[in-house]
Amino acid sequence: MNEEYDAIVVGIGGMGSATLYELAKRGLNVLGIEQFEIPHNLGSSHGLTRIIRLAYYEDLSYAPLLRRAYELWAEVERAAGEQLFYRTGSIDMGPPASDVFRGSLQSCIENEFEHEVLDSKALRARFPGYRMPPETLAVYQPQGGLLAPERCIAAYTRLAVGLGAEIHTGERVLGWDIGADQRVNLQTDAGDYVAEKLVICGGAWASKLAPQLAGIAVPERQALIWLQPKRPEWFQLDSFPVWNGQVEEGRYYGLPEFNPSGNTPGMKLGRYHHLDETCDPDEVDRKVNARDEAILRAFAERYFPDGAGATADMVVCMFTNTPDEHFLLDTLPGAPQVSLAAGFSGHGFKMASVIGEIMADLAQTGETRHDIDLHRLSRFHADNASNPPSPGPLPPQGGKGS
């Protein structure tokens, strides 16, 4: 007989672990399925640290989600008895007319977020690790900081299990369909399941779990580097805010040294849309190469020379990008039993806590009190909103992920 659940969450990374916890907290009989271990380093929810910031140039509608995300991160820290968020302050910087600077400043002004505007000279005086071009302007927002993603996922998972959730790891989804009874039938390489609701949080594997996302949630290979600072005292949690910057080479981001458990030391940085390499998550090149390193080192040596010592480590991860770089948070057209969280385009983990709440709302009632109009799937499927999903098995490489 098929095992039956109120809800099944596929993919127990950042979004899936938070969703699993929220559903279990509400008393649902819920199963989480992950094709790898929890946590793992094969998707999008790893790398020791992730930026969280209130100043948000991407769109003003993110502000309420961010406020709630901060509240929920504090809640899960209390429940887990573990620090997951580290306040460092945040810097959003670029030329005066850049999207990053102008949009971040507008976000702070309109939402009355505490902030300061610093020119490049004042920025360096306050935080000597930064050496930006003379024309640079920066928004400093003191509530910014970092999250420890692997610990966040582990905490959510542990709390969910404590509330009665069941979790299967090392199990791969083969397909799903909607039965005559309007429940979801899910097939994996280990068994068959039935649920009232299915929540897809598949990260880079999202379009393999929901073919409607093909061409909409597109995986991209990313590379990250950790550099051993020449002046380590300038790159610590209390002296080096997390940052997001726009320069002539592109848009980059970085974080201070963070190794409370003997993790990889060093300043961490990456380049948004690193080499513009779309990829198949099952075939992505996970080895870093000389070109990856050269691009990131050249940036660090120019703008953070005192942080650009020896390379301590490099890793590959994945973004999953939508055409407009906003999220996908919705139920599937023609299948209200199935909801999805996907396409976080390199800026979603900070909101995993509130996205878990949103996905639990959608799974329970199909609606949420949060404003997710910007993130509806219908913006890409306006002409096909009434078409039901194709039932049956997924492509042979289908799976679920981070």
Side-chain angles (χ1 to χ4, degrees):
M1 293 182 62
N2 295 340
E3 297 182 60
E4 300 184 5
Y5 299 88
D6 295 327
I8 297 175
V9 180
V10 175
I12 310 300
M15 312 308 170
S17 63
T19 301
L20 190 76
Y21 167 71
E22 287 290 340
L23 289 168
K25 188 172 68 173
R26 299 177 190 194
L28 274 69
N29 177 26
V30 60
L31 168 66
I33 300 178
E34 170 56 56
Q35 68 173 332
F36 304 118
E37 297 302 314
I38 302 175
H40 62 82
N41 64 357
L42 299 174
S44 304
S45 295
H46 61 283
L48 303 180
T49 54
R50 287 300 172 85
I51 291 173
I52 181 168
R53 53 189 167 91
L54 281 174
Y56 224 70
Y57 85 92
E58 287 84 349
D59 193 276
L60 293 175
S61 69
Y62 283 100
L65 298 181
L66 287 159
R67 282 194 175 101
R68 182 59 176 158
Y70 270 77
E71 293 173 354
L72 290 170
W73 285 121
E75 176 187 298
V76 75
E77 281 187 316
R78 289 191 296 269
E82 180 180 7
Q83 185 174 6
L84 304 172
F85 164 73
Y86 295 78
R87 178 170 159 173
T88 65
S90 65
I91 295 288
D92 293 273
M93 59 191 175
S98 65
D99 293 340
V100 171
F101 171 73
R102 291 177 59 195
S104 299
L105 180 59
Q106 182 184 12
S107 172
C108 287
I109 292 171
E110 295 205 11
N111 291 287
E112 299 183 344
F113 294 147
E114 181 183 354
H115 69 282
E116 295 178 61
V117 174
L118 306 173
D119 62 19
S120 61
K121 184 177 180 180
L123 177 63
R124 184 176 176 184
R126 178 86 65 88
F127 307 111
Y130 291 80
R131 293 195 188 178
M132 304 309 294
E135 68 274 15
T136 298
L137 291 177
V139 177
Y140 171 66
Q141 206 289 314
Q143 276 73 48
L146 63 85
L147 296 162
E150 290 90 346
R151 284 160 46 183
C152 292
I153 293 166
Y156 268 131
T157 303
R158 184 171 65 252
L159 291 169
V161 170
L163 292 169
E166 182 178 340
I167 294 178
H168 296 182
T169 60
E171 189 168 340
R172 190 177 182 85
V173 168
L174 302 177
W176 61 267
D177 58 61
I178 306 298
D181 60 0
Q182 297 303 301
R183 295 193 296 173
V184 180
N185 302 307
L186 183 77
Q187 302 83 41
T188 76
D189 57 6
D192 297 333
Y193 308 94
V194 176
E196 299 294 330
K197 301 293 176 65
L198 172 65
V199 186
I200 296 172
C201 298
W205 286 262
S207 64
K208 294 192 173 191
L209 291 159
Q212 300 90 329
L213 302 186
I216 297 173
V218 180
E220 177 186 30
R221 179 182 178 273
Q222 287 290 123
L224 300 169
I225 195 169
W226 284 259
L227 299 171
Q228 294 177 352
K230 300 173 185 176
R231 297 288 302 268
E233 69 275 16
W234 289 354
F235 297 89
Q236 302 303 306
L237 291 174
D238 61 353
S239 59
F240 190 70
V242 300
W243 59 269
N244 165 44
Q246 196 165 323
V247 293
E248 61 181 340
E249 295 91 342
R251 185 172 157 227
Y252 293 73
Y253 58 97
L255 304 98
E257 188 166 22
F258 179 79
N259 57 342
S261 302
N263 296 321
T264 300
M267 174 187 73
K268 174 184 173 183
L269 66 88
R271 182 176 190 262
Y272 283 96
H273 308 305
H274 178 61
L275 295 174
D276 295 313
E277 295 176 289
T278 60
C279 64
D280 182 316
D282 291 309
E283 299 179 0
V284 61
D285 182 2
R286 297 187 182 279
K287 295 181 180 180
V288 293
N289 56 54
R291 187 183 180 197
D292 294 328
E293 184 175 14
I295 288 172
L296 297 175
R297 285 200 65 88
F299 171 86
E301 288 166 359
R302 180 175 182 183
Y303 299 109
F304 298 95
D306 295 296
T311 298
D313 198 10
M314 292 189 70
V315 300
V316 168
C317 70
M318 287 179 282
F319 286 179
T320 305
N321 302 313
T322 62
D324 59 12
E325 298 196 355
H326 297 304
F327 308 158
L328 296 170
L329 305 171
D330 211 342
T331 56
L332 278 180
Q337 309 92 327
V338 181
S339 53
L340 60 91
F344 294 101
S345 303
H347 67 109
F349 192 92
K350 64 181 68 64
M351 284 175 264
S353 58
V354 69
I355 287 166
E357 187 171 70
I358 290 167
M359 298 314 297
D361 291 344
L362 293 178
Q364 281 194 295
T365 68
E367 300 177 350
T368 179
R369 66 180 175 85
H370 296 288
D371 178 5
I372 58 171
D373 287 349
L374 182 67
H375 310 292
R376 293 288 187 181
L377 181 59
S378 59
R379 71 190 192 272
F380 301 119
H381 278 299
D383 296 332
N384 301 303
S386 62
N387 291 344
S390 301
L394 297 170
Q397 293 178 334
K400 53 202 173 296
S402 59

